[in-house]
Amino acid sequence: MTGISGARGPKLTQTTAVLAMCAVLIVVFSIFLKGFLTLGNLFALARNISILGILALGMAVVVIGRGLDLSQVASFAASTAIAIILMNSGYATPVALLIGFVMAIAIGILNGFLISVIEMPPLLTTLASSLAVLGIVRTTAVQHYVVYLSKGHDEFLRLGGNIWGGVPISILIFAATALVVHLFLSRTVIGRFVYAHGDNPDAARQTGLPTRPLTMIEYALCAAIGYVGGVVMVAQTALMHLQVAESTIIFDVIMVVVLGGVSLVGGRGNVMSVIAGTLLIGVLLNGMTIMDMDVQTQNIVKGIVLLIAILLDSRLHPRDEETSKQGD
Amino acid sequence: MTKAVHRKALAGFGLAAIVATAVLVTVPSQAAGPRDQLREKFDKALKGKTVAWSPVWMGVLESEWTRVMKDRFDDYGIKLVTRDANMKSDIQLQTVSDYINEKPDVLVVQNPNVTLLAKELKRAMDAGIYVVQVNMASNTLSDAYVGVDAKDLGTKIAREVINQCGGGKGSGEIAILEGEATAAYSLDMKNGAMEVFKTDPSIKVVSSQPTSWDANKAGDITTTVLQQHPKLCGILSVWGPQTAGAAQAIKAANMGDKVKVFVASDGQPADCDLLEQGAFSANLSYRADVQGQTIADAVIALLQSGDKPGSKNVAYYTTPAWVKSKDDRMYCFSIPKGAK
């Protein structure tokens, strides 16, 4: 189990490779793109990557445990939409946010239950649960796809703003979440169990690890951290557009996770991997926006980067029967 | 003599009575006849008819169209069938194909782009079904088109941008937030705007990026663009909800006083709220409830026309109006209480 170092065998880890790529890009953009290397732009970059980064932290917990959660975005979209509706109808902001939080965790536990106890495959289970969650919320509580936060929640909206001369609060939330997830994965017993679970689920079960509750904890954490990202998203836009659940954002999240070196094999990678992946995507997106690149070219670049990440993942963590990957 | 006079008088009275009776009987029936016949003809043309409606998705705009259509159709005994494609092209294509097989009397479609439904719409008209297209015309012309002229919308909004940002009144630096890169609605609007911008050398479009109709992405793009172009005068955007994200990003950057937000949108209540809060500077708005009435009118006209489906192409273009202050609230629709 070499998850904390993120390396097995070769000295060059995927995380360091991605960080190196990122450094090269930053240098190239700084030379060729006017206005890239300014404090203001770096803050803008930080603001733009923080939600993706937070979501990727949650996903990393599940992927390290050799799972995959395609319902993360649907889960945060549905629970934040409910929280907004409660806030609009007069509930105190912390109470409304807490109810949304509990709902997100419940969705995560349900996913974990279906996967570990009923033994359904994670890919299909979470794909189906995302549709179910969205459908139920849409038919019962949310009349339209766009739920606006009504006037008078300035305190809450400040979460989406800046402090200290331009530092986006969202990046501080990302940093805090990263620290908590890092401490959880590296310093707690359950965190170590998650690595063991992902590294070899059968061995983990046979040595007496409670793999079923563990799976539920992994998925609950993924949903809970995703909810934090959702709350930041609401604070930044003052609305929740439920269609986000059907956008490609979930693939961006998985791309960030895999890119940084949290292998789909399970048991590998750490918070640093997520930060590296997020940073690379953030720098790329920022550069492409400054260049005013059209969306097709942006997609080509993103696709090539993802292919390189999967290639690296395959080279560094080859497949065999024991390490069959999610999505294989 | 007296007898004769008496008889004459009696005959006179009799005649008068007959005339009076005839008048009493015939005059009202002559007046009511055509009116009754009109209603009879109307009912005969409309009652028991089926309208199949295929929206791109059931957003705020589409829900309002549906609400108004259903309200009117219920009153006339027309059945409305609705299937939400939820932004999925394959599902919408399948829905329209199924509708054609079910043979409704009228097919109402909202095209996601100019080509997806083009062949099916022709097939529908060949099968004897009237076709009404809403808010974006496809490459196949049909019996009626109801909606905005997106290019004209772009032209109008660009003129307003020039008024406030061009010719020395502002820096002239403009960013455009498109919707979907492939959606003709936002492309047409952008093309209309660009044609106007090209005529004014003081205007410089520094960025034009698609947001995928996503508020969060619009916010991200705006944050980056504001950093690169601190002198940015205005943002031209094609839909309210995505623009809300951009407006929040401007607020977070404390640039609300400098950067004006121009939007063309469908008159949803939140658009007017955001304008009144100062998040939007000007909103070129069309009212979905009025459009819903027009769709219903187009359907009613077709059902009574007796024309062969596909034989004529009538357009009902929506006239948008500027919402610039609280006084223009009537150009955003409001959803009646208790409406489903």
Side-chain angles (χ1 to χ4, degrees):
Chain A
M1 194 177 74
T2 50
I4 299 303
S5 67
R8 172 187 272 205
K11 282 269 180 207
L12 173 78
T13 67
Q14 196 167 332
T15 307
T16 47
V18 168
L19 281 175
M21 271 166 82
C22 196
V24 171
L25 264 184
I26 290 175
V27 171
V28 171
F29 283 167
S30 304
I31 296 169
F32 294 104
L33 287 185
K34 195 174 151 263
F36 177 81
L37 199 66
T38 60
L39 198 58
N41 186 55
L42 296 181
F43 285 154
L45 194 156
R47 182 184 191 269
N48 295 352
I49 61 172
S50 45
I51 294 174
L52 190 62
I54 295 169
L55 299 178
L57 285 170
M59 185 65 76
V61 174
V62 164
V63 174
I64 289 171
R66 207 189 280 191
L68 197 63
D69 186 358
L70 296 182
S71 72
Q72 190 195 34
V73 176
S75 151
F76 85 65
S79 3
T80 50
I82 297 287
I84 295 177
I85 291 170
L86 293 173
M87 279 158 83
N88 286 349
S89 60
Y91 279 72
T93 307
V95 177
L97 289 177
L98 187 68
I99 293 174
F101 188 63
V102 171
M103 184 179 150
I105 288 179
I107 297 168
I109 291 176
L110 180 70
N111 276 331
F113 177 82
L114 293 173
I115 290 161
S116 64
V117 180
I118 315 283
E119 296 185 349
M120 288 161 63
L123 202 70
L124 300 175
T125 307
T126 54
L127 186 65
S129 70
S130 74
L131 293 173
V133 164
L134 206 64
I136 292 168
V137 169
R138 177 94 166 81
T139 47
T140 53
V142 183
Q143 197 189 4
H144 296 298
Y145 269 88
V146 186
V147 191
Y148 289 91
L149 185 65
S150 63
K151 265 196 292 187
H153 294 97
D154 293 346
E155 286 286 314
F156 170 71
L157 289 178
R158 224 161 275 161
L159 276 181
N162 307 324
I163 44 165
W164 306 324
V167 181
I169 296 177
S170 52
I171 195 72
L172 300 179
I173 299 175
F174 175 35
T177 314
L179 184 66
V180 171
V181 174
H182 171 69
L183 292 177
F184 167 75
L185 285 175
S186 62
R187 299 280 187 275
T188 66
V189 175
I190 301 177
R192 305 300 306 188
F193 282 179
V194 172
Y195 277 101
H197 184 206
D199 202 39
N200 193 335
D202 287 338
R205 195 179 300 124
Q206 280 161 19
T207 49
L209 287 193
T211 49
R212 282 177 173 168
L214 196 58
T215 309
M216 288 185 232
I217 290 173
E218 288 160 9
Y219 281 89
L221 274 172
C222 178
I225 297 168
Y227 178 76
V228 174
V231 169
V232 174
M233 195 181 267
V234 174
Q236 282 188 353
T237 56
L239 60 90
M240 176 48 68
H241 190 173
L242 282 186
Q243 230 217 330
V244 74
E246 286 157 357
S247 71
T248 55
I249 190 167
I250 190 72
F251 300 113
D252 290 347
V253 172
I254 295 170
M255 174 157 77
V256 162
V257 168
V258 176
L259 189 62
V262 182
S263 172
L264 292 170
V265 168
R268 286 151 185 85
N270 51 37
V271 166
M272 200 53 217
S273 320
V274 175
I275 293 174
T278 312
L279 208 58
L280 181 58
I281 292 299
V283 170
L284 259 179
L285 288 180
N286 182 271
M288 292 193 291
T289 309
I290 294 175
M291 285 185 264
D292 200 15
M293 207 179 258
D294 65 82
V295 75
Q296 284 85 355
T297 320
Q298 291 198 21
N299 282 340
I300 293 170
V301 173
K302 271 163 76 177
I304 290 172
V305 168
L306 183 59
L307 285 175
I308 292 172
I310 295 169
L311 184 75
L312 265 175
D313 185 26
S314 305
R315 295 295 291 241
L316 295 175
H317 316 115
R319 289 170 172 79
D320 57 37
E321 276 180 20
E322 272 179 59
T323 59
S324 65
K325 300 181 183 190
Q326 285 305 333
D328 268 1
Chain B
M1 186 69 186
T2 354
K3 258 189 182 175
V5 170
H6 191 65
R7 210 177 294 144
K8 262 188 184 174
L10 269 179
F13 276 124
L15 195 66
I18 290 165
V19 169
T21 314
V23 167
L24 277 172
V25 172
T26 55
V27 169
S29 77
Q30 264 174 1
R35 295 213 305 267
D36 280 347
Q37 281 170 22
L38 185 65
R39 179 72 204 208
E40 261 170 41
K41 264 176 75 180
F42 177 86
D43 283 342
K44 201 173 155 212
L46 268 51
K47 237 177 208 157
K49 293 291 193 296
T50 302
V51 175
W53 158 226
S54 171
V56 170
W57 70 325
M58 207 42 97
V60 179
L61 166 72
E62 293 78 4
S63 301
E64 183 61 8
W65 285 339
T66 312
R67 186 189 69 74
V68 175
M69 273 195 276
K70 185 162 186 332
D71 196 40
R72 297 242 347 236
F73 291 161
D74 276 354
D75 206 29
Y76 305 140
I78 299 172
K79 188 179 160 204
L80 180 71
V81 185
T82 308
R83 276 174 219 157
D84 181 0
N86 203 8
M87 286 265 186
K88 291 183 181 68
S89 300
D90 53 333
I91 292 182
Q92 193 173 9
L93 190 59
Q94 185 63 47
T95 300
V96 171
S97 298
D98 288 348
Y99 277 158
I100 295 171
N101 295 337
E102 289 161 20
K103 287 231 172 226
D105 300 283
V106 185
L107 175 64
V108 182
V109 295
Q110 178 191 16
N111 294 297
N113 57 49
V114 290
T115 53
L116 180 75
L117 303 173
K119 277 189 182 162
E120 290 302 283
L121 300 187
K122 175 145 194 333
R123 201 164 72 83
M125 289 184 288
D126 290 345
I129 303 165
Y130 291 116
V131 174
V132 178
Q133 303 181 57
V134 179
N135 239 10
M136 198 173 91
S138 97
N139 282 339
T140 295
L141 290 181
S142 64
D143 300 286
Y145 169 75
V146 180
V148 289
D149 177 345
K151 199 172 169 196
D152 181 56
L153 222 54
T155 309
K156 283 189 172 123
I157 200 163
R159 286 201 193 104
E160 180 64 23
V161 172
I162 291 179
N163 266 342
Q164 296 200 38
C165 285
K169 286 180 200 154
S171 67
E173 288 189 1
I174 303 297
I176 299 178
L177 293 176
E178 303 163 30
E180 196 82 55
T182 54
Y185 176 80
S186 68
L187 269 181
D188 285 353
M189 209 189 293
K190 183 190 162 185
N191 291 341
M194 289 306 285
E195 274 178 24
V196 176
F197 286 150
K198 274 178 197 148
T199 62
D200 190 328
S202 70
I203 294 290
K204 192 179 163 208
V205 178
V206 295
S207 162
S208 182
Q209 297 265 312
T211 66
S212 308
W213 314 111
D214 175 5
N216 194 50
K217 195 161 180 206
D220 287 353
I221 292 170
T222 304
T223 308
T224 306
V225 171
L226 286 178
Q227 275 305 320
Q228 297 307 311
H229 306 282
K231 283 194 286 182
L232 191 78
C233 177
I235 288 179
L236 186 161
S237 179
V238 301
W239 190 46
Q242 68 178 34
T243 319
Q248 284 296 332
I250 293 171
K251 199 172 141 195
N254 280 328
M255 291 177 85
D257 301 336
K258 288 187 200 157
V259 183
K260 298 180 186 74
V261 178
F262 304 87
V263 57
S265 195
D266 46 29
Q268 35 190 294
D271 291 343
C272 275
D273 293 343
L274 286 164
L275 188 120
E276 285 167 22
Q277 290 162 27
F280 296 172
S281 312
N283 170 18
L284 189 55
S285 174
Y286 49 93
R287 277 177 50 174
D289 52 348
V290 176
Q291 279 188 324
Q293 299 275 3
T294 314
I295 302 168
D297 287 341
V299 167
I300 290 163
L302 285 170
L303 285 173
Q304 295 180 89
S305 67
D307 292 335
K308 192 172 166 285
S311 59
K312 283 177 189 149
N313 315 116
V314 184
Y316 301 79
Y317 286 114
T318 309
T319 307
W322 281 109
V323 180
K324 291 182 180 174
S325 75
K326 221 159 80 177
D327 301 333
D328 306 322
R329 182 87 205 186
M330 66 277 203
Y331 297 117
C332 284
F333 62 87
S334 52
I335 300 163
K337 274 187 184 155
K340 278 192 178 175

